[in-house]
Amino acid sequence: RVLVGLCAVVLGACGSQVVNPVTGQAERSVMDESAELAEGAKAHQQVMQEYSAYPNAAVQAYVNALGQKLAAQSHRSHLSWHFTVLDSAEINAFALPGGYVYVTRGIMAYLESEADLAGVIGHEIGHVTARHGAQRATQAQNAGLGVFAASVLGAVLESQGVSGAGRLAGQVSQSVAAGYIASYGREQELQADQLGAEYLARTRFDPHNMVDVITVLKNQERFAADLAQAEGRPGRSQGDWLASHPSNDQRLQTIRQLATQYQGQGSYTDEGRTRYLQILQGLSFGDSAAQGLVRGRHFYHGSLGFALDAPTGWHVQNEADKLALVNAAGDAALILRVVPPKAGANHTEIIRNVVKPTQGRSERVDINGLAATRFVGARQNAQGQVLPLELTLISGPQDNTFLLQFSAKDGAALARARGGLREAELSFRSLTTADRSAAKPWAIKTVAYPKGGFAELAKASPLANPQQQLRLINGFYAGGEPRAAQQVKVVEAQ
C-alpha cells in the first residue's frame, strides 16, 4: 500500500561512483547522499500515511534519545537522524534511506531491556549507514523499478516479510523484480547485524543483546507454529523465495560469533531493564482501538460502530485498508472495506461506479436490521479476463456503507468456503452493549512475579492463550522462570 502511486518515479541516469561509508569502497549508485536524503523524506511521508506515530510523547522521546546515541557512534553520524515509534501491533522495525528509522510498539512489547531495543535500532541504523536503500534502488533500476519505488519497496519487504512482499509486489506487477531485490537483501541483513553489534559495543551495550532480539523473533515463529498446530491449520512455510531476512537460526549463529569478537574490550553499561520496563508501563498492546480490535475470531470497531465474527477455525486479519476473515486453508476470505462517500448515493450507484460489473443481478436483503444488497455477477479485469464476483453492500452505522466481498483462490475453493463466507457476512451488526464491553483496548503493565508463576498471572489475563503469551512477552517461551518477585510484563484491559 505504501507503493501506490510511487512506481512512476524513474531516474534515467546510469548512476555514478559513490564511496560506501562502511566499506570505504567505491560502488556504482543511482543515489548519492543528497538523493538519499530527498527520497527518504518523501518515503517518510508515505510511511506516516500508512501508519501513524504512537501518541505517547514520553515513549517517542525515549526511543529517539536512544537512537540518537547509537547514530552518533555510527559511520554516518553527520546525518539528521529521525526515530519514530509506530502505532502498530506488528512485530517490526525498518529503515529508509537518509536516516529514517521506525520501530513498532508491537516489537517493543516483546523486548526485555534498553539494550535489546538498542540492538533493534542498531541493526536498522546499519541498513542506512551501509547505504542498503541506495543499493536496492540501483538493483531495482536494472529490474525496471523507479528509484523512489525501490527504496520504499525495500523498507516494506523488510517490515512486512513474506506475505507483505508478495502482496505489494503483485500490486505493481513486479514480483520478479521484488524477488531479485529481496534475495539481494539477505546479505544486507547479515551486514546490518554486524553493524548493529558494532554500534552496541561503541555505546557500551553488550552485543550479546542482539542474540536476545533474534531469540524474540525465533520465539514468535515457535508460538505461531504451535498455535497453528493446536488449531489444525498449516503453519507458515519456511524458505519462501521472497523472504527478505536470513533464517533466524543462521542469524543467531552469526551474531553469537560477532558478539564474541567484542569480549575483553572493556566493561559494558547496565542493560537498562528497569528503565525500559518503566517506559513500557501503559504501552498499548495488540490492536489499536482506532483501527478496530481483534479478539480471537471476533472483530469490534468502536469508532465505526460495527462488529463481525469469523467462523470457527477461521482467523481475522486487520489491515489499514481492509479487514479479512480468512478460512483455515488460507484459500478463501471475506474482505470488508468501507466505501468512500463519493462512490455513490445508494447501493445501485456504488455497484455501478465501484464494482463496474459486466453482468449480474442484485437482491435486497436485511442483515441484523441493516439494509443490504447482495450482488452476484462478473466483471472484467485489466487483462480482459471475465471473473466471477460475489459481494454484499450494507448500510451500516454512522451513515457508512460497507462492502463485503467473497474472495477465493479459485472456483473450487469458493464453493468449499461459501458456507463460512455467508456465516461471516451474516454476523455483521451494529455494536451491542456486550460488544462494547468486549471491545476494550489492552495495555502493558509490570507486576512482581508471583509464587504461582505464569499460571497465576494467566487467571486474570484477557489474552487468548494466556500462559503461552505471557511467557512469550517475558522471554520465557522456551522454558524457565523469572526470579521470585522479579518485575514481569502482563496485559490488562483498560
Side-chain angles (χ1 to χ4, degrees):
R1 292 162 303 189
V2 178
L3 283 176
V4 174
L6 304 184
C7 295
V9 181
V10 178
L11 188 64
C14 295
S16 58
Q17 293 295 312
V18 176
V19 175
N20 188 293
V22 170
T23 65
Q25 297 177 350
E27 58 189 28
R28 191 188 74 82
S29 178
V30 295
M31 293 174 69
D32 59 15
E33 187 168 283
S34 62
E36 279 189 83
L37 297 175
E39 302 298 353
K42 291 178 186 177
H44 172 70
Q45 298 303 317
Q46 296 294 326
V47 169
M48 298 315 295
Q49 289 176 17
E50 166 74 4
Y51 297 94
S52 59
Y54 181 56
N56 185 302
V59 172
Q60 294 288 354
Y62 174 83
V63 171
N64 181 65
L66 180 60
Q68 298 295 344
K69 179 180 178 181
L70 288 157
Q73 297 297 322
S74 75
H75 292 82
R76 302 178 76 180
S77 57
H78 64 281
L79 293 181
S80 177
W81 289 87
H82 308 268
F83 299 90
T84 306
V85 181
L86 300 177
D87 189 10
S88 170
E90 297 171 3
I91 301 170
N92 285 323
F94 56 99
L96 290 171
Y100 293 85
V101 175
Y102 310 86
V103 297
T104 62
R105 60 172 173 80
I107 197 170
M108 289 183 67
Y110 289 89
L111 302 176
E112 279 294 298
S113 68
E114 187 174 283
D116 287 355
L117 179 59
V120 172
I121 295 174
H123 172 96
E124 301 306 330
I125 290 174
H127 279 308
V128 178
T129 59
R131 304 189 76 252
H132 289 164
Q135 291 171 357
R136 277 173 169 156
T138 303
Q139 290 296 121
Q141 188 187 38
N142 295 336
L145 282 173
V147 172
F148 187 19
S151 66
V152 179
L153 176 59
V156 173
L157 288 171
E158 181 179 337
S159 69
Q160 297 193 354
V162 177
S163 62
R167 180 175 65 251
L168 288 162
Q171 284 182 357
V172 295
S173 300
Q174 293 284 0
S175 59
V176 174
Y180 182 38
I181 299 165
S183 63
Y184 185 81
R186 283 190 278 269
E187 293 181 7
Q188 296 172 334
E189 295 297 340
L190 293 175
Q191 186 182 29
D193 284 341
Q194 179 181 356
L195 291 168
E198 180 178 345
Y199 299 154
L200 258 66
R202 289 184 181 184
T203 50
R204 311 314 305 160
F205 286 118
D206 188 341
H208 279 95
N209 284 99
M210 293 197 67
V211 174
D212 297 337
V213 174
I214 306 303
T215 301
V216 166
L217 302 180
K218 279 186 63 65
N219 286 339
Q220 292 291 331
E221 291 178 349
R222 290 170 180 162
F223 174 68
D226 291 345
L227 191 62
Q229 183 178 18
E231 295 177 353
R233 54 182 173 84
R236 177 175 171 177
S237 67
Q238 300 297 315
D240 191 297
W241 72 288
L242 271 171
S244 62
H245 289 70
S247 74
N248 288 320
D249 289 327
Q250 180 185 359
R251 294 181 74 187
L252 268 177
Q253 180 181 357
T254 302
I255 290 173
R256 286 194 178 105
Q257 293 171 351
L258 288 170
T260 301
Q261 296 175 9
Y262 293 96
Q263 288 180 348
Q265 295 188 13
S267 60
Y268 294 115
T269 187
D270 169 50
E271 67 176 6
R273 186 174 190 271
T274 300
R275 290 191 301 275
Y276 188 70
L277 293 184
Q278 288 173 345
I279 283 293
L280 291 192
Q281 286 277 10
L283 186 83
S284 297
F285 184 85
D287 294 326
S288 166
Q291 296 177 354
L293 302 173
V294 178
R295 296 291 181 258
R297 61 186 185 90
H298 309 289
F299 179 79
Y300 310 98
H301 204 302
S303 59
L304 293 178
F306 77 91
L308 198 67
D309 305 323
T312 302
W314 292 39
H315 63 280
V316 182
Q317 293 181 354
N318 185 22
E319 301 180 13
D321 63 339
K322 64 180 179 295
L323 178 74
L325 277 58
V326 185
N327 68 345
D331 59 6
L334 179 70
I335 309 295
L336 181 147
R337 291 184 174 88
V338 181
V339 178
K342 295 182 179 179
N346 52 55
H347 292 181
T348 300
E349 287 187 9
I350 293 171
I351 291 172
R352 182 174 63 248
N353 298 336
V354 176
V355 180
K356 299 179 180 178
T358 55
Q359 58 180 318
R361 58 181 177 80
S362 298
E363 175 190 8
R364 303 287 183 180
V365 295
D366 179 284
I367 296 180
N368 296 313
L370 301 172
T373 300
R374 194 169 284 150
F375 178 85
V376 178
R379 63 174 294 178
Q380 193 174 56
N381 66 10
Q383 289 73 41
Q385 297 171 300
V386 177
L387 303 176
L389 186 65
E390 293 187 42
L391 60 87
T392 300
L393 289 167
I394 302 177
S395 294
Q398 302 172 19
D399 295 325
N400 284 311
T401 301
F402 299 85
L403 189 153
L404 286 68
Q405 183 174 348
F406 288 15
S407 178
K409 179 181 179 181
D410 51 38
L414 179 62
R416 290 192 299 269
R418 182 171 276 107
L421 293 167
R422 190 68 72 201
E423 177 186 342
E425 173 199 87
L426 292 174
S427 74
F428 186 97
R429 62 191 180 277
S430 299
L431 283 176
T432 65
T433 301
D435 289 334
R436 293 189 181 280
S437 178
K440 293 181 179 178
W442 296 340
I444 295 285
K445 181 182 177 183
T446 58
V447 299
Y449 190 63
K451 292 182 179 179
F454 286 114
E456 181 176 337
L457 293 175
K459 294 177 182 178
S461 176
L463 297 171
N465 302 279
Q467 285 201 54
Q468 284 181 297
Q469 289 177 271
L470 287 171
R471 283 187 168 277
L472 192 63
I473 67 172
N474 285 288
F476 291 94
Y477 191 73
E481 298 286 334
R483 299 186 308 274
Q486 176 181 331
Q487 288 293 301
V488 296
K489 292 172 281 186
V490 296
V491 176
E492 292 187 349
Q494 294 182 309

